[in-house]
Amino acid sequence: MSNYHIKHLEEYYQVYRKSVREPEHFWEEIAEEHFLWRKKWDNVLSWDFTKPEVKWFEGAKLNITENCIDRHLATRGDKTAIIFEPNNPKEAAVHISYKALYHRVNKFANVLKSQGVKKGDRVCIYLPMIPELAVSVLACARIGAIHSVVFAGFSASALATRINDSDCKLVITSDGSYRGAKTIDLKGIVDDALNECENVSTVLVAKRINSNVKMKAGRDQWLQPLLDEASNQLKAEVMDAEDPLFILYTSGSTGTPKGMVHTTAGYMVYAAYTFKNVFQYREKDVYWCTADIGWITGHSYIIYGPLCNGATTIMFEGVPSYPDFGRFWEIIEKHKVNQFYTAPTAIRALAKEGVEHLEKHDLSSIKVLGTVGEPINEEAWHWYDDNVGKRKSPIVDTWWQTETGGIMITPIAYATPTKPTYATLPFIGIQPALMDEHGKEIKGNQVDGRLCIKYPWPSMARTIWGNHQRYKDTYFSAYKNKYFTGDGALRDEVGYYRITGRVDDVIIVSGHNLGTAPIEDAINEHPAVAESAIVGFPHDIKGNALYGYVTLKETGESRDQNNLRKEINQLITDQIGPIAKLDKIQFTNGLPKTRSGKIMRRILRKIASNESNNLGDISTLLNPECVQEIIDNVL
Ligand code: WTA
């Protein structure tokens, strides 16, 4: 009996127990029965969290694109693999069949090859949500190049940092992008970035908005003519199980982003298996995840997971508010979406608009709703359940991370009874642990602590590109022999998990992880700024918004504070992107510090969140006097 498709709670418990009792045997069975291998593995798993080193399916040979595309050709060649829904609803949607995807990926892969890209080379992809994005990702995987997709909302400077960190020689972009009523000059951003990237020799440019861009001779080439010339046949490169598949950057507690490295076989197996079960995908279903492929959710649950299962997956170019707040509902009706996966911040933004838009559309195709990216508050959960799911479609609140590659704690739709704000139970094979501040595991239920994972799972990131020590320090040093997630969680009386949020210096704003350090670095570049500290505070739609406390080199009186605020936000926009802009900036004469000079963000967070009556003991601070001044002037 195959354990590939779990349908009931008892089955979940049964399979879960097996996956924990005999993990290797369990994953071997899944891998064996449901994927296409050029050669099977010699060893299912070897691991050592102290190094840390983890290898799954060592010795196996495969190409993930043969699993995502080739193996479906015989049975699903004409089935739609990708539906592209453009920004402008008047522009026709594009249906790309598995056969057409096969040809497009081969062509693109041949273009990359003709540009000298080889197995192991890094390729940076900076594209909007257009078909070329999915196709270029798969084309890299087909020839064994390592893709590094950078979200097309990042600034030139952030893009340059990422290109240089992984030494990409080729960049794929477009002449521009549509975003609601606006267009964005992506090619211009790439040009700016490349002033700082000596090693990039080639830029391939897709046409999307037909803008008049400058093409640098010898470096920039239009993509389409190259594709037209290329053959639509190509033999996939044979990859080792542990060959890197992609790098994806995530922000951390220190300035530079972390290039999380995901490898091939384990990632594939886990992304596919979770997709099938969490969303209960069936053959004729149309699945829609609203994330951008620039984030891990798009990698695992727009491209790899769905395509490995022969699914139909939607790529949406636009935003929920354009041309109006009915857009999501219109798309669901139009494509008869069965599984809809989005983020709490989008749900809150849509809920604020009331149900008037919803009521105009037939959402009866929906079977499963999903959420990801941050804790979902109770109100948003019920609004989603009542109005979108009509209380008949389970909500899968999926907790996971860029680092985990796939969904880790989640209900399985129609099997796990849901509970508002709870991600519920660990997925098959996942062994969570809650830890106390002394590094001891907290057993039993009705407890809370820091969330760790104590056994490897197939899709975990293997390292940070170029910095294995940082990988070890960040994830494997806080608790011995455990992967530390950076999140806090509680476990209720039946063993359900609720993720309470980050316990480190990462703040999640509208579902985007933002490290405080890179933002503070950007602010501190302002010539008038002496020092700064960023904290999050609750925001109705974004979940958290950013509050900055800034001390100036001279007293603020002499400068126009509003201008300064604008300049500071401009610096952040330039260095990181508009997503990291501060909602509030308070100028202050001092920042509360410990005697060793560390800024006490805990106090600043409380003040920003209107909880200054509950600061605890501040007498041990180096400079307690500054606290009252900050409270008096809070924004
Ligand atoms: C948070 C996104 C609560 C969490 C896939 C995690 C969540 C971080 C949930 C990773 C959820 C993600 N409930 N919190 N369902 N999903 N998070 O790397 O803090 O962009 O550590 O990966 O988002 O964000 P990342």
Side-chain angles (χ1 to χ4, degrees):
M1 168 43 212
S2 164
N3 295 316
Y4 193 66
H5 193 172
I6 296 156
K7 299 188 199 71
H8 316 285
L9 191 61
E10 310 83 82
E11 207 179 345
Y12 159 80
Y13 279 116
Q14 225 174 40
V15 178
Y16 181 78
R17 277 196 295 271
K18 179 170 169 187
S19 75
V20 169
R21 224 183 289 130
E22 312 165 57
E24 299 186 28
H25 181 65
F26 173 78
W27 287 112
E28 175 159 46
E29 240 177 54
I30 296 289
E32 190 129 36
E33 287 173 25
H34 301 281
F35 299 88
L36 192 66
W37 304 92
R38 292 290 191 94
K39 173 185 172 286
K40 298 265 167 79
W41 44 92
D42 305 318
N43 187 26
V44 179
L45 170 66
S46 63
W47 67 291
D48 178 349
F49 275 179
T50 62
K51 288 184 177 168
E53 189 179 87
V54 173
K55 291 181 177 159
W56 282 91
F57 307 113
E58 227 180 327
K61 305 267 186 202
L62 74 157
N63 187 290
I64 194 169
T65 68
E66 291 185 335
N67 283 274
C68 287
I69 308 172
D70 304 40
R71 70 165 157 151
H72 305 310
L73 293 176
T75 51
R76 303 184 176 109
D78 295 323
K79 179 177 175 178
T80 299
I82 296 175
I83 299 175
F84 169 62
E85 173 66 31
N87 177 63
N88 182 346
K90 296 206 178 84
E91 193 182 322
V94 180
H95 289 246
I96 305 171
S97 68
Y98 273 92
K99 206 192 300 151
L101 184 63
Y102 173 71
H103 290 144
R104 287 181 73 158
V105 169
N106 282 341
K107 274 177 169 281
F108 208 126
N110 276 316
V111 168
L112 292 175
K113 270 186 128 170
S114 71
Q115 298 298 319
V117 178
K118 289 188 289 298
K119 178 175 173 175
D121 288 350
R122 276 79 58 208
V123 170
C124 175
I125 303 175
Y126 187 73
L127 280 172
M129 284 286 284
I130 57 177
E132 284 82 351
L133 174 49
V135 172
S136 60
V137 160
L138 292 162
C140 286
R142 191 132 182 111
I143 62 170
I146 303 169
H147 55 79
S148 167
V149 182
V150 177
F151 172 61
F154 276 117
S155 70
S157 163
L159 174 61
T161 307
R162 287 159 177 76
I163 290 173
N164 288 332
D165 183 77
S166 47
D167 195 19
C168 299
K169 306 229 165 34
L170 186 140
V171 176
I172 303 167
T173 189
S174 66
D175 57 350
S177 66
Y178 293 118
R179 200 175 158 73
K182 289 191 284 197
T183 56
I184 297 164
D185 176 19
L186 285 195
K187 175 63 168 59
I189 296 172
V190 170
D191 289 342
D192 287 350
L194 294 192
N195 289 331
E196 294 166 49
C197 307
E198 283 173 6
N199 292 340
V200 173
S201 53
T202 311
V203 179
L204 300 178
V205 187
K207 246 194 188 137
R208 176 60 182 139
I209 65 169
N210 289 307
S211 64
N212 220 342
V213 298
K214 279 200 226 89
M215 297 291 277
K216 185 170 170 190
R219 189 194 70 184
D220 302 350
Q221 302 189 61
W222 290 108
L223 184 61
Q224 196 55 49
L226 299 173
L227 289 171
D228 291 342
E229 292 291 300
S231 158
N232 65 10
Q233 298 299 315
L234 175 117
K235 261 202 129 127
E237 189 77 34
V238 179
M239 305 300 287
D240 287 339
E242 284 295 337
D243 277 339
L245 174 64
F246 65 86
I247 300 169
L248 187 60
Y249 286 88
T250 185
S251 33
S253 302
T254 63
T256 47
K258 298 173 291 200
M260 304 312 307
V261 176
H262 282 283
T263 57
T264 306
Y267 173 81
M268 170 183 78
V269 168
Y270 195 78
Y273 184 58
T274 46
F275 172 76
K276 176 78 183 166
N277 285 293
V278 172
F279 298 104
Q280 292 291 303
Y281 184 85
R282 306 289 168 102
E283 184 61 33
K284 293 207 166 63
D285 289 348
V286 174
Y287 160 89
W288 181 21
C289 164
T290 70
D292 192 290
I293 289 172
W295 309 114
I296 190 68
T297 306
H299 281 60
S300 302
Y301 299 110
I302 295 178
I303 300 183
Y304 288 116
L307 296 180
C308 260
N309 285 283
T312 298
T313 172
I314 296 183
M315 270 182 82
F316 175 45
E317 185 185 27
V319 293
S321 55
Y322 178 80
D324 61 40
F325 277 97
R327 189 67 195 278
F328 274 9
W329 321 129
E330 182 210 314
I331 296 173
I332 290 173
E333 178 175 13
K334 176 172 164 190
H335 298 297
K336 303 200 168 46
V337 170
N338 302 110
Q339 290 88 2
F340 178 66
Y341 190 26
T342 193
T345 186
I347 297 167
R348 289 189 296 261
L350 293 162
K352 192 160 163 264
E353 300 302 312
V355 290
E356 155 207 346
H357 289 290
L358 263 165
E359 283 168 351
K360 291 188 205 137
H361 297 281
D362 175 9
L363 306 183
S364 60
S365 56
I366 288 182
K367 296 193 284 190
V368 177
L369 296 174
T371 152
V372 61
E374 59 185 307
I376 182 166
N377 49 308
E378 193 143 5
E379 207 183 333
W381 196 98
H382 283 296
W383 188 87
Y384 201 30
D385 186 38
D386 292 346
N387 299 297
V388 186
K390 319 284 185 205
R391 298 197 188 176
K392 66 174 180 50
S393 302
I395 296 177
V396 291
D397 177 355
T398 64
W399 172 83
W400 58 297
Q401 311 178 292
T402 306
E403 295 86 339
T404 68
I407 295 169
M408 302 287 283
I409 301 184
T410 181
I412 289 178
Y414 294 99
T416 317
T418 59
K419 175 173 175 183
T421 76
Y422 280 74
T424 73
L425 296 170
F427 190 74
I428 307 301
I430 304 305
Q431 303 188 33
L434 295 178
M435 310 298 291
D436 69 16
E437 65 266 40
H438 310 294
K440 262 192 67 193
E441 182 172 352
I442 309 166
K443 300 273 173 128
N445 290 344
Q446 287 189 296
V447 291
D448 67 273
R450 299 190 161 204
L451 179 62
C452 287
I453 312 290
K454 49 187 180 183
Y455 197 85
W457 63 101
S459 66
M460 61 190 295
R462 302 295 194 257
T463 188
I464 290 175
W465 183 264
N467 199 345
H468 195 67
Q469 186 61 40
R470 188 175 179 197
Y471 179 65
K472 179 175 174 170
D473 293 345
T474 311
Y475 304 106
F476 295 90
S477 301
Y479 303 99
K480 196 160 167 252
N481 262 319
K482 291 183 181 62
Y483 165 82
F484 174 48
T485 65
D487 283 320
L490 58 85
R491 194 164 49 218
D492 78 357
E493 62 287 352
V494 299
Y496 274 18
Y497 288 85
R498 175 184 185 170
I499 312 301
T500 47
R502 302 292 310 185
V503 294
D504 57 7
D505 290 337
V506 172
I507 304 171
I508 304 188
V509 179
S510 299
H512 302 318
N513 294 5
L514 299 171
T516 51
I519 303 175
E520 290 163 5
D521 290 350
I523 299 173
N524 298 348
E525 287 206 358
H526 194 290
V529 169
E531 206 175 24
S532 60
I534 302 299
V535 297
F537 69 99
H539 184 281
D540 281 354
I541 290 175
K542 301 184 198 180
N544 295 295
L546 298 179
Y547 194 116
Y549 297 90
V550 176
T551 63
L552 298 174
K553 287 179 182 154
E554 302 155 32
T555 51
E557 319 285 304
S558 53
R559 299 194 60 134
D560 176 340
Q561 293 203 340
N562 278 334
N563 266 344
L564 262 179
R565 289 194 175 95
K566 277 195 200 125
E567 287 165 16
I568 286 171
N569 265 332
Q570 190 57 46
L571 270 172
I572 295 172
T573 305
D574 292 345
Q575 301 237 339
I576 301 162
I579 50 177
K581 281 205 286 198
L582 310 183
D583 272 37
K584 295 184 182 176
I585 301 177
Q586 177 177 353
F587 296 103
T588 161
N589 288 318
L591 296 171
K593 290 188 182 162
T594 62
R595 288 183 191 268
S596 58
K598 230 177 140 229
I599 297 174
M600 285 295 281
R601 288 197 174 70
R602 183 179 54 79
I603 291 175
L604 294 172
R605 206 175 296 132
K606 288 208 163 148
I607 298 175
S609 309
N610 276 326
E611 292 171 30
S612 48
N613 50 354
N614 170 26
L615 293 183
D617 181 16
I618 59 167
S619 63
T620 56
L621 289 177
L622 184 69
N623 50 350
E625 68 287 350
C626 75
V627 173
Q628 195 55 46
E629 181 221 316
I630 295 177
I631 294 173
D632 291 343
N633 295 304
V634 71
L635 299 172

